[in-house]
Amino acid sequence: MARRPHNAPPTRDTGPRVNERIRAPEIRLIGAEGENVGVITPEKALVLAEEAGLDLVEISPNATPPVCKIMDFGKYKYETQKKESEARKKQHVIEIKEIKFRPNTDTHDYDVKMRSVFKFLEGGDKVKVTLRFRGREMAHLELGRKLLERVAEDVTEHGKVEAIPRLEGRQMVMMINPTRH
């Protein structure tokens, strides 16, 4: 049985145009040493790049005329990849951590859970405090609201309440943002 060819979309070249791909009628050229050569045709620039043993890379395609530079394209791609990975390493992704309470959570259990809340907030993460009601506990929503108000009061120096407690079905939810990032 013959296998149908895979119709993958054509690969898009996302980087800057290089060498023969530069289509402008004239370009502003910057030499290999960073000197300004001036406005010339891409053909002449390509000859100069080949003499230097380097590539002609379009740096600023939206300028009039487009700015091109004679450089080692492989080295340029490598350096931009390194810069991007460094930027990714430095950025901090804020996660949402969840702590679950019950309306009749005792003081010791409350303290243990609050230590976790403080740890998450100091780590720069958002905290979602969930208070779950079961059975007849739904008749005493004010107890749950008091507990969440106590949580909000206790975290004032570590975080800021983003979303006030609201009832979603059988649970009450409150969001807390860290004060510092």
Side-chain angles (χ1 to χ4, degrees):
M1 179 184 291
R3 207 169 144 241
R4 210 180 69 148
H6 179 65
N7 289 339
T11 56
R12 262 186 64 225
D13 197 19
T14 54
R17 287 191 273 255
V18 184
N19 297 335
E20 289 82 24
R21 290 210 172 131
I22 298 170
R23 296 188 297 263
E26 56 181 23
I27 59 169
R28 182 172 305 278
L29 183 67
I30 298 168
E33 311 298 315
E35 75 279 0
N36 191 351
V37 177
V39 178
I40 59 173
T41 63
E43 291 78 25
K44 285 183 185 173
L46 204 54
V47 170
L48 289 172
E50 284 174 6
E51 285 173 5
L54 299 169
D55 300 304
L56 183 64
V57 181
E58 189 174 46
I59 291 175
S60 177
N62 300 331
T64 47
V67 179
C68 296
K69 186 174 181 181
I70 295 175
M71 66 169 86
D72 184 356
F73 185 60
K75 186 177 176 185
Y76 171 74
K77 265 176 50 174
Y78 172 73
E79 285 171 357
T80 53
Q81 275 181 342
K82 254 179 103 167
K83 283 180 193 168
E84 286 171 5
S85 71
E86 281 295 318
R88 273 195 300 275
K89 277 183 196 170
K90 287 179 184 160
Q91 75 183 14
H92 175 71
V93 178
I94 295 177
E95 291 182 37
I96 297 178
K97 306 282 190 172
E98 184 175 19
I99 298 285
K100 293 181 179 177
F101 285 94
R102 296 287 310 279
N104 53 358
T105 302
D106 206 18
T107 53
H108 178 69
D109 295 334
Y110 174 84
D111 294 339
V112 169
K113 288 176 186 271
M114 286 309 291
R115 266 185 263 150
S116 296
V117 169
F118 295 146
K119 187 175 75 177
F120 294 149
L121 290 172
E122 283 172 15
D125 295 321
K126 285 186 177 185
V127 178
K128 177 181 180 181
V129 179
T130 306
L131 185 70
R132 174 160 282 145
F133 295 97
R134 283 201 196 137
R136 293 194 190 138
E137 290 173 348
M138 285 299 286
H140 302 286
L141 294 175
E142 71 280 352
L143 289 175
R145 191 167 295 282
K146 279 183 187 170
L147 184 77
L148 287 181
E149 285 170 3
R150 182 175 161 202
V151 169
E153 207 174 283
D154 289 348
V155 299
T156 49
E157 64 220 36
H158 296 280
K160 183 171 151 266
V161 176
E162 175 190 312
I164 56 169
R166 64 182 186 280
L167 194 64
E168 296 176 356
R170 287 191 158 275
Q171 58 188 22
M172 215 176 263
V173 178
M174 176 173 75
M175 290 293 289
I176 303 171
N177 276 342
T179 48
R180 59 171 187 77
H181 293 286

